[in-house]
Amino acid sequence: LVRSRGLGDVYKRQQHHLPEKVRRVMEGWEQVRRHRSNLAVLAALTAVYVAVGGLRLFVSYRALGYPVAVLPCLVISTLQAMTVIFTLTPGAVGIRQALVGYGSDLLELGATEGVVASTIDHGVGTLWVFIIGITFTNYIWVRHVKRGRGGE
């Protein structure tokens, strides 16, 4: 029987001849092949991320008084999730709003409404992280102070 050689065999034989980027892609491919279950977990987490983002956008549109269905919000949320790839600014500020505005315009929801809804969503998300951060920082600080003074 003749066994066909996979990418891993080619990689192992010609490792020193390949450019750095190609080597990194090949190493990544080998990691994916070895840990296929991680790929399924990543896909599931991405689906949850898109669903939650779509619901947040839906609530933002409704807060503006703009009637919108959930499905267009999920479609726009997939565009919003892609801003992770195109991060030019911290938090993808501006890029996220532009993509949501563009997606809203394509789905005939209005570009302005999309930008405003995305800005509201971003503001509420930032406020939420700030509140959670203060809460947990306070919890850790109080716990540390109690342990520090109680042991003296």
Side-chain angles (χ1 to χ4, degrees):
L1 292 173
V2 176
R3 182 176 158 233
S4 66
R5 294 185 175 154
L7 290 175
D9 295 335
V10 172
Y11 169 70
K12 289 174 187 170
R13 282 185 302 130
Q14 298 180 356
Q15 183 176 2
H16 59 280
H17 296 294
L18 297 174
E20 178 63 26
K21 287 190 179 201
V22 174
R23 273 199 301 261
R24 288 178 55 201
V25 168
M26 298 293 277
E27 288 170 3
W29 181 251
E30 287 299 316
Q31 289 292 326
V32 168
R33 283 185 55 215
R34 276 190 235 128
H35 306 286
R36 290 178 193 240
S37 62
N38 289 349
L39 193 59
V41 169
L42 182 63
L45 288 174
T46 302
V48 169
Y49 177 75
V50 168
V52 169
L55 289 175
R56 285 175 44 180
L57 203 55
F58 176 77
V59 170
S60 296
Y61 274 112
R62 290 296 172 119
L64 290 171
Y66 194 75
V68 66
V70 176
L71 188 61
C73 291
L74 290 174
V75 171
I76 295 170
S77 179
T78 57
L79 286 174
Q80 196 173 10
M82 288 183 199
T83 61
V84 174
I85 299 169
F86 306 114
T87 54
L88 298 176
T89 61
V93 176
I95 297 170
R96 179 186 307 182
Q97 282 78 7
L99 280 175
V100 171
Y102 180 69
S104 294
D105 196 39
L106 285 177
L107 295 172
E108 297 178 356
L109 299 174
T112 304
E113 288 83 356
V115 170
V116 173
S118 179
T119 303
I120 289 172
D121 176 50
H122 197 128
V124 169
T126 302
L127 183 64
W128 181 248
V129 167
F130 185 70
I131 290 169
I132 294 294
I134 288 175
T135 303
F136 283 104
T137 301
N138 187 35
Y139 171 75
I140 291 169
W141 181 262
V142 168
R143 190 172 178 191
H144 175 70
V145 169
K146 283 185 178 180
R147 283 191 179 174
R149 290 190 179 157
E152 292 179 11

